[in-house]
Amino acid sequence: VPGALAGAFELHKDFGTMPMKEIVIPSIEAARNGVKVVPFQYYDFELLLDIIKVTKVGKSIFCDEEGNLKKVGELTYFPEMANFFEFIASNGVYEFYKGEIASKIEVDHLLRGGYLKREDFENYRVIKSHPLSFWHRQYQIQTNPLPSTGGALVALILNHLENDTNSDRSKEYIRNLFNSLKEVAQFGHM
């Protein structure tokens, strides 16, 4: 179940000082007015091209009229996302998890071979936990705890590099980083 939205509203409830309607204004404006494609995004688009082109919506957002990926510097528009942000900011997350949006997602999943059901959304709860916290050199790093494995893998990589005295970007440092990443990738496939 998509939990980021519930998590964002939970954080806002606990720590927010501005109304959600104000917080989302820059995102709504960017979605409506367009966002320039940057080199990293273009690289991602290239990797995901086959997925992007599966739907008309994907093609309409990320491709030009000839069906080619939008280039670096061109604008991508997200009008439906702008509408969604406005709706959620005005109505809260109830509609997403217990209302009409949850029902629409369930139907979409059923039609496309997915597994999410409305009851999955209705039963979703934010779980607050303490971050995985560790030190690397002079920095304290906090990341996602288990069951997410990303933070633990980052900790493992940095632990391998802890005693590396080579300067950043030296050939030896890059080699050690690569070997750490390779080891973590093998660990992930055990």
Side-chain angles (χ1 to χ4, degrees):
V1 174
L5 191 60
F9 271 80
E10 190 74 17
L11 284 169
H12 181 261
K13 182 182 82 175
D14 291 349
F15 304 108
T17 58
M18 295 172 54
M20 188 61 81
K21 287 181 182 181
E22 285 182 42
I23 293 171
V24 298
I25 288 172
S27 298
I28 292 168
E29 289 174 353
R32 284 208 201 298
N33 299 329
V35 178
K36 283 186 181 179
V37 175
V38 297
F40 183 76
Q41 288 170 315
Y42 184 78
Y43 174 76
D44 283 347
F45 296 167
E46 285 181 307
L47 291 175
L48 300 170
L49 183 59
D50 291 339
I51 296 169
I52 287 170
K53 288 189 170 187
V54 167
T55 66
K56 289 180 185 179
V57 172
K59 286 188 271 190
S60 71
I61 293 172
F62 302 106
C63 297
D64 60 23
E65 292 179 10
E66 288 80 41
N68 301 311
L69 281 178
K70 291 187 177 180
K71 304 283 187 244
V72 173
E74 292 183 331
L75 295 175
T76 54
Y77 300 92
F78 304 89
E80 290 181 17
M81 185 179 289
N83 294 340
F84 176 75
F85 286 160
E86 286 177 336
F87 179 81
I88 292 298
S90 295
N91 298 293
V93 295
Y94 179 86
E95 278 297 318
F96 185 82
Y97 291 96
K98 299 183 186 234
E100 185 180 340
I101 295 173
S103 296
K104 287 182 177 182
I105 293 172
E106 178 183 34
V107 169
D108 189 56
H109 269 253
L110 289 172
L111 293 174
R112 297 173 192 266
Y115 299 100
L116 290 177
K117 296 188 174 166
R118 183 184 169 115
E119 67 190 50
D120 298 324
F121 285 80
E122 290 174 350
N123 293 326
Y124 183 80
R125 299 291 179 269
V126 172
I127 298 172
K128 295 180 183 180
S129 58
H130 295 285
L132 172 64
S133 183
F134 60 93
W135 286 89
H136 176 68
R137 299 186 177 161
Q138 73 270 23
Y139 301 102
Q140 183 178 23
I141 298 173
Q142 295 187 335
T143 185
N144 291 336
L146 295 171
S148 170
T149 57
L153 295 176
V154 168
L156 180 63
I157 292 168
L158 292 176
N159 186 47
H160 277 266
L161 298 173
E162 183 67 34
N163 297 316
D164 191 327
T165 58
N166 296 297
S167 66
D168 289 347
R169 297 189 181 95
S170 72
K171 286 182 182 180
E172 191 61 31
Y173 181 83
I174 299 298
R175 183 177 298 113
N176 290 341
L177 177 60
F178 173 77
N179 289 333
S180 295
L181 291 169
K182 193 164 90 174
E183 183 178 330
V184 166
Q186 290 170 347
F187 172 75
H189 290 94
M190 294 172 92

